[in-house]
């Protein structure tokens, strides 16, 4: 059969979505004849459609050698290289396409997506903007900008762009579900439900709409309803990232973790184009389900893969230097001479400690008391710290700028924070702020709220660090991706807390997680007494309290206390040499 006829057959098969048959036909051409540029281009596209990305790259390279000016071939080669993870080379090919055709919107989009995946956010934004100018009615650039904003945890900005994408294309299932996902992250579940249901009216089987609803039901503790949304995905072999995450989260309540793990591992194998953050979250959730199944080595393999998916910068020496500065600046002599705020409020209760040390649990217990409200992780003190040099008119950075404090500054900053607490609750006697990393700011807290209380959550260092390593934390926790860095970070936390304990006059109660779960009543009584609150048995029924919890512990605080997490590190002991070294060395 003539080469032309075989290529026509292959094109027809590709148009019908029969990539495997088209690939066989094109391979026949290559075996019988000297392959021309078009045949190799088509073969590369077939391999890409089938997920054979290295073979796609090989065929497209050969095609490009024969026809160096074929921009569609170069564009396809860039796409295949991106899917292989060769991001720099992929970007070079997209740039070359744009040199030939600077108004090719798809090339701007592809380059922007590649740059965003590679962490080059500013340049990615430029190319999304250029694509917008070329195609002002397209939702795709808005969607890309929304995903970039989500990548850096700016969810309000992400929502703005996702809504614009939906405005451009109200029937786009991708844009509807992406907007729903951002709304879920922002805790606006009702709005998200509406978008997912709209998507399901367009396509009752759309995977991410089903998965998105399952995620909402999971986070609200409605596990049966979540499972009902997941069932069509399993029956029809449909892959959904949010569906997989929801299934992995609820599987232990349903006794179906083996099934959830198998579904997600299939997804990871078959969806090679997953964004790094999504891939990381899937690995981490799979690992937690495997931990529940006591398949500890398999679990650690997924934990390691998840943490290595996104590499973040972390400077352990810089962190030690900052700890040194805090210890130096907030000496007893400095604290003695600095003014205190005159608002002698006892309302704030600061719950501090390393992440995964029990801060969410402590807050949930206290918030069960009728005279306490839980504010969650407030960012106000961090915002005050970041703007302090400017507010003080100081030419010194934090923490040295505290030497410029005046009584007026103290009073204004204290009132600003207390106003935030009033917006959370007008009636509660105590309001908790469980931002764990406020332990950095205990010197500032003493100056602003000398009558406040601080509950310091402690837990076995190996259990704490391993639990951090096992979580999909945001980018601010760069130390969490590497066991040695995690150990050094914890060591500096211990140094700083020892300094505060020896230096501050503000009341600090140390509460050990292990004591709380083994001796709950006596530990809770001590916490309430410390906060000058009467005993209330509701605090032992904290899991019945209906309140939203936005941290990684949202599932734990809905359950009675359990001891399964005590000395969990022993299951992973032969993987922890780097963590132990970091804990010992500290830098």
């Amino acid at each position: 059969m003539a080469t032309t006829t075989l290529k026509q057959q292959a094109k027809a098969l590709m148009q019908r979505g029969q990539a495997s048959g088209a690939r066989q036909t094109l391979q026949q051409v290559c075996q019988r004849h000297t392959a021309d540029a078009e045949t190799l281009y088509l073969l590369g596209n077939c391999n890409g459609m089938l997920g054979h990305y290295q073979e796609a790259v090989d065929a497209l390279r050969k095609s490009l050698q024969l026809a160096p000016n074929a921009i569609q071939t170069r564009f396809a080669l860039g796409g295949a290289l991106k899917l292989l993870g060769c991001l720099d080379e992929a970007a070079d090919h997209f740039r070359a396409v744009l040199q030939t055709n600077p108004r090719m919107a798809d090339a701007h989009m592809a380059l922007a997506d590649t740059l965003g995946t590679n962490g080059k956010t500013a340049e990615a934004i430029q190319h999304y903007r250029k694509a917008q100018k070329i195609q002002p009615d397209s939702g795709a650039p808005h969607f890309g900008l929304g995903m970039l904003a989500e990548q850096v945890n700016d969810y309000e900005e992400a929502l703005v762009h996702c809504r614009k994408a939906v405005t451009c294309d109200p029937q786009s299932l991708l844009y509807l579900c992406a907007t729903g996902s951002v709304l879920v992250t922002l805790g606006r579940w009702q709005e998200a439900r509406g978008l997912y249901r709209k998507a399901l009216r367009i396509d009752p089987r759309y995977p991410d709409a089903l998965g998105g609803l399952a995620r909402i039901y999971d986070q609200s503790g409605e596990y049966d309803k979540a499972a009902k949304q997941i069932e069509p995905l399993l029956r029809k072999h449909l892959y959904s990232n949010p569906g997989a995450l929801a299934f992995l989260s609820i599987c232990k309540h349903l006794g179906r973790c083996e099934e959830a793990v198998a579904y997600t591992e299939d997804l990871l194998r078959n969806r090679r184009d997953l964004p790094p953050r999504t891939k990381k979250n899937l690995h981490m959730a799979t690992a937690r389900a495997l931990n529940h199944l006591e398949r500890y080595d398999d679990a650690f393999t997924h934990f390691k893969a998840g943490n290595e998916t996104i590499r973040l910068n972390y400077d352990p020496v810089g962190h030690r230097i900052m700890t040194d500065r805090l210890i130096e600046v907030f000496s007893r002599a400095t604290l003695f001479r600095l003014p205190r705020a005159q608002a002698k409020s006892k309302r704030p209760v600061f719950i501090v400690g390393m992440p995964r040390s029990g801060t969410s649990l402590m807050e949930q217990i206290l918030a069960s008391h009728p005279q306490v409200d839980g504010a969650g992780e407030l960012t106000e003190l961090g915002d005050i710290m970041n703007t302090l040099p400017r507010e003080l008119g100081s030419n010194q950075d934090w923490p040295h700028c505290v030497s410029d404090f005046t009584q007026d500054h103290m009073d204004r900053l204290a009132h600003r924070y207390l106003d935030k607490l009033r917006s959370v609750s007008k009636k509660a006697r105590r309001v908790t702020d469980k931002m764990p990393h406020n332990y950095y700011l205990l010197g500032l807290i003493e100056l602003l709220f000398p009558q406040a209380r601080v509950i310091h959550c402690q837990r076995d260092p190996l259990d704490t660090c391993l639990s951090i390593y096992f979580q999909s934390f945001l980018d601010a926790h760069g130390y969490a991706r590497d066991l040695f860095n995690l150990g050094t970070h914890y060591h500096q936390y211990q140094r700083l807390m020892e300094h505060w304990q020896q230096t501050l006059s503000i009341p600090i109660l140390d509460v050990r997680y292990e004591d709380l779960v083994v001796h709950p009543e006596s530990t809770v009584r001590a916490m309430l007494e410390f906060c000058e609150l009467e005993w209330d048995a509701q605090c032992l029924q904290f899991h019945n309290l209906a309140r939203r919890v936005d941290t990684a512990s949202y599932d734990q605080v809905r359950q009675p206390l359990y001891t399964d997490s005590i000395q969990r590190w022993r299951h992973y002991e032969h993987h922890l040499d780097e963590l132990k070294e970091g804990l010992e060395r500290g830098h």
Side-chain angles (χ1 to χ4, degrees):
M1 191 178 293
T3 300
T4 303
T5 303
L6 287 171
K7 282 198 290 188
Q8 288 174 344
Q9 284 184 0
K11 289 178 183 178
L13 289 167
M14 290 174 70
Q15 288 175 351
R16 294 198 295 270
Q18 298 175 16
S20 182
R23 182 172 180 250
Q24 291 176 3
T25 302
L26 292 165
Q27 285 173 334
Q28 288 179 35
V29 175
C30 294
Q31 289 165 2
R32 296 179 188 179
H33 312 279
T34 301
D36 62 287
E38 184 186 24
T39 300
L40 290 166
Y41 169 70
L42 294 171
L43 181 60
N45 281 340
C46 282
N47 281 320
M49 291 168 68
L50 293 167
H52 304 313
Y53 301 123
Q54 185 58 61
E55 294 175 47
V57 166
D58 294 342
L60 292 166
R61 283 195 200 282
K62 291 175 183 176
S63 177
L64 202 59
Q65 287 172 354
L66 296 172
N69 296 322
I71 64 170
Q72 287 299 336
T73 303
R74 192 176 291 280
F75 181 75
L77 177 57
L81 286 164
K82 179 180 180 296
L83 291 168
L84 270 181
C86 304
L87 300 178
D88 289 334
E89 189 179 357
D92 287 342
H93 282 288
F94 293 135
R95 288 190 182 99
V97 169
L98 289 168
Q99 284 179 349
T100 303
N101 183 3
R103 290 196 54 79
M104 185 175 172
D106 286 347
H108 282 294
M109 290 289 300
L111 178 55
D113 186 46
T114 304
L115 292 166
T117 302
N118 210 13
K120 299 177 181 179
T121 305
E123 191 179 354
I125 290 172
Q126 291 177 7
H127 285 281
Y128 280 130
R129 297 291 189 200
K130 288 177 181 178
Q132 273 183 320
K133 289 180 180 178
I134 296 166
Q135 294 182 342
D137 295 329
S138 172
H142 289 296
F143 174 72
L145 288 167
M147 295 303 96
L148 270 186
E150 186 179 37
Q151 189 170 300
V152 297
N153 309 316
D154 189 348
Y155 295 106
E156 292 291 353
E157 182 74 6
L159 182 60
V160 169
H161 288 295
C162 286
R163 287 198 189 282
K164 287 180 179 177
V166 171
T167 300
C168 292
D169 187 353
Q171 299 299 302
S172 168
L173 299 172
L174 175 64
Y175 302 161
L176 288 168
C177 290
T179 309
S181 177
V182 175
L183 286 165
V184 171
T185 303
L186 290 169
R188 294 160 65 171
W189 295 350
Q190 197 58 37
E191 292 175 73
R193 277 195 189 97
L195 290 176
Y196 289 135
R197 285 171 178 156
K198 179 178 178 180
L200 290 173
R201 286 194 294 272
I202 298 169
D203 180 356
R205 294 174 49 191
Y206 192 66
D208 281 356
L210 293 166
L213 283 174
R215 183 181 167 202
I216 292 173
Y217 287 129
D218 164 38
Q219 293 194 5
S220 60
E222 299 174 272
Y223 305 124
D224 290 339
K225 289 183 179 179
K228 186 176 179 182
Q229 299 299 320
I230 291 166
E231 287 305 325
L233 301 175
L234 305 179
R235 284 199 312 271
K236 304 291 185 181
H237 302 287
L238 302 171
Y239 293 126
S240 162
N241 304 332
L245 291 170
F247 196 14
L248 289 165
S249 178
I250 67 173
C251 68
K252 59 183 175 291
H253 301 287
L254 308 174
R256 298 175 64 181
C257 282
E258 292 281 7
E259 192 179 354
V261 167
Y263 175 80
T264 309
E265 289 185 331
D266 280 347
L267 188 159
L268 285 164
R269 277 191 295 269
N270 287 284
R271 293 282 299 276
R272 297 280 298 278
D273 58 339
L274 292 171
R277 186 181 295 271
T278 300
K279 190 181 296 184
K280 180 197 76 170
N281 290 339
L282 290 168
H283 276 299
M284 303 299 273
T286 302
R288 287 191 287 273
L290 287 164
N291 175 80
H292 178 74
L293 291 168
E294 300 181 1
R295 291 169 53 186
Y296 300 118
D297 287 338
D298 292 336
F300 194 84
T301 297
H302 275 283
F303 282 129
K304 194 169 188 294
N307 279 303
E308 291 178 351
T309 299
I310 301 176
R311 303 300 296 176
L312 297 173
N313 293 327
Y314 174 70
D315 179 8
V317 174
H319 182 244
R320 175 179 56 78
I321 291 170
M322 175 54 73
T323 304
D324 291 342
R325 286 175 181 163
L326 287 168
I327 291 171
E328 174 194 352
V329 169
F330 286 100
S331 64
R332 280 183 178 166
T334 301
L335 287 165
F336 180 76
R337 68 177 177 78
L338 286 173
R340 264 61 169 175
Q342 296 179 83
K344 307 297 185 184
S345 175
K346 292 185 177 182
R347 290 195 89 204
V349 177
F350 298 96
I351 302 174
V352 303
M354 284 292 285
R356 309 301 297 160
S357 62
T359 54
S360 292
L361 182 58
M362 304 290 182
E363 178 173 65
Q364 183 79 353
I365 289 169
L366 288 174
S368 301
H369 193 284
Q371 293 182 311
V372 179
D373 269 338
E377 297 185 354
L378 297 180
T379 62
E380 267 62 29
L381 284 180
D383 294 341
I384 287 172
M385 179 199 74
N386 289 328
T387 60
L388 204 52
R390 187 177 72 248
E391 292 218 14
L392 297 176
S394 176
N395 58 9
Q396 301 183 91
D397 292 333
W398 169 265
H400 294 94
C401 62
V402 299
S403 61
D404 296 318
F405 262 135
T406 66
Q407 186 68 58
D408 180 61
H409 289 130
M410 288 292 184
D411 292 338
R412 281 194 289 109
L413 294 173
H415 281 296
R416 181 194 305 178
Y417 182 86
L418 293 172
D419 285 345
K420 176 63 180 179
L421 293 195
R422 276 188 285 275
S423 73
V424 172
S425 173
K426 291 182 170 59
K427 296 181 179 179
R429 248 180 98 193
R430 302 283 183 266
V431 181
T432 58
D433 177 348
K434 66 153 295 285
M435 178 61 76
H437 282 94
N438 277 343
Y439 74 79
Y440 287 112
L441 303 178
L442 289 181
L444 179 62
I445 287 170
E446 165 143 324
L447 299 174
L448 296 178
F449 311 108
Q451 300 296 315
R453 295 290 185 269
V454 176
I455 293 178
H456 173 215
C457 300
Q458 294 179 294
R459 186 182 176 191
D460 180 283
L462 289 173
D463 276 337
T464 303
C465 290
L466 202 61
S467 188
I468 291 170
Y469 189 71
F470 288 177
Q471 284 298 325
S472 298
F473 277 116
L474 301 178
D475 297 349
H477 301 268
Y479 62 89
R481 308 288 200 270
D482 176 271
L483 287 172
F484 178 76
N485 284 341
L486 188 47
T488 66
H489 192 93
Y490 191 95
H491 182 91
Q492 298 306 322
Y493 145 75
Q494 287 180 310
R495 278 187 64 217
L496 185 57
M497 283 307 306
E498 287 171 6
H499 170 73
W500 295 136
Q501 295 278 16
Q502 295 165 9
T503 307
L504 301 181
S505 58
I506 191 171
I508 300 175
L509 177 70
D510 293 326
V511 180
R512 290 193 59 80
Y513 173 83
E514 292 83 359
D515 292 340
L516 178 62
V517 298
V518 175
H519 306 292
E521 183 169 338
S522 60
T523 306
V524 173
R525 283 184 181 275
M527 290 165 57
L528 294 178
E529 183 178 348
F530 176 72
C531 296
E532 299 179 342
L533 296 166
E534 298 294 327
W535 167 251
D536 194 296
Q538 289 183 61
C539 293
L540 295 180
Q541 303 300 317
F542 62 89
H543 48 284
N544 294 326
L545 179 64
R547 62 183 286 266
R548 218 180 86 205
V549 177
D550 293 327
T551 67
S553 302
Y554 70 87
D555 188 51
Q556 180 189 13
V557 300
R558 294 201 198 95
Q559 305 174 53
L561 292 170
Y562 54 85
T563 60
D564 295 5
S565 294
I566 295 178
Q567 295 209 317
R568 182 169 60 168
W569 65 268
R570 294 192 182 280
H571 299 308
Y572 298 91
E573 187 166 10
H574 60 286
H575 297 289
L576 303 183
D577 289 346
E578 289 185 0
L579 174 57
K580 291 177 180 179
E581 183 184 357
L583 285 167
E584 291 170 6
R585 287 176 53 185
H587 64 275

